[in-house]
Amino acid sequence: MKTLLTCAALSLATGAASAQCYSLNADGGAALMAGYSVTDAAAGPELMARPPVGEDAIAVLCERDAPEFREKDFELLHHGLSLYVRSGSDDGVTLISLSLRDGNEYAVQLHDGELSEADVAAITAVLEGLTQARPRWRAIIRTSRTADAPRGAR
């Protein structure tokens, strides 16, 4: 199932569509979330509202300039949705995901492309901030490529 979403996410247009978000479902379908930004939705002091996705959505894919997670991206996970971030262009796409494992572990996976040492350090800093804020949570970072991302994410 995750391989289906990874394929779909990688097949979405890249480049000019930067900073757009898509809802992904288990069948690999992707739908543009026009005007939606996870960063903007999580900007307030309270937990962000559930994104405007269908009931069959299992993830949100956001296109960003860099393979990064932002301070409040984790709020999406509380709505039962994983976050995929795609960056780069057609000749070099990087795809990473943030999800929950066992209800209390943040899991980061690299599904395609490469992460620089600076990328890993930035992701680690965000996760360390999350785990310090919530001591019972742990972070797991996988920097090797995995093939289990949803087809819609590729």
Side-chain angles (χ1 to χ4, degrees):
M1 173 176 68
K2 286 188 176 187
T3 300
L4 243 97
L5 287 176
T6 300
C7 292
L10 287 173
S11 69
L12 295 171
T14 58
S18 184
Q20 293 186 340
C21 291
Y22 301 83
S23 65
L24 305 175
N25 65 35
D27 296 330
L32 176 64
M33 300 166 67
Y36 182 81
S37 162
V38 171
T39 303
D40 292 345
E46 60 279 331
L47 182 67
M48 68 180 283
R50 182 173 169 83
V53 298
E55 290 187 25
D56 62 340
I58 61 169
V60 171
L61 165 76
C62 293
E63 295 183 3
R64 294 184 175 166
D65 292 334
E68 64 183 3
F69 295 117
R70 297 179 180 153
E71 181 181 357
K72 293 185 75 179
D73 281 347
F74 76 95
E75 291 186 8
L76 188 65
L77 307 178
H78 293 280
H79 295 290
L81 300 166
S82 295
L83 174 63
Y84 287 80
V85 173
R86 184 178 57 195
S87 62
S89 61
D90 291 334
D91 58 325
V93 173
T94 298
L95 180 66
I96 59 176
S97 66
L98 176 64
S99 59
L100 281 179
R101 208 172 262 150
D102 299 327
N104 67 352
E105 290 182 335
Y106 292 112
V108 173
Q109 292 183 297
L110 171 65
H111 300 280
D112 201 30
E114 302 292 328
L115 293 174
S116 69
E117 287 183 30
D119 294 333
V120 172
I123 290 168
T124 301
V126 169
L127 289 173
E128 286 175 350
L130 298 178
T131 57
Q132 287 174 3
R134 301 180 187 286
R136 73 180 209 286
W137 295 43
R138 295 185 341 168
I140 298 172
I141 302 174
R142 290 189 182 171
T143 57
S144 60
R145 234 179 267 175
T146 63
D148 61 347
R151 184 176 78 189
R154 288 195 179 202

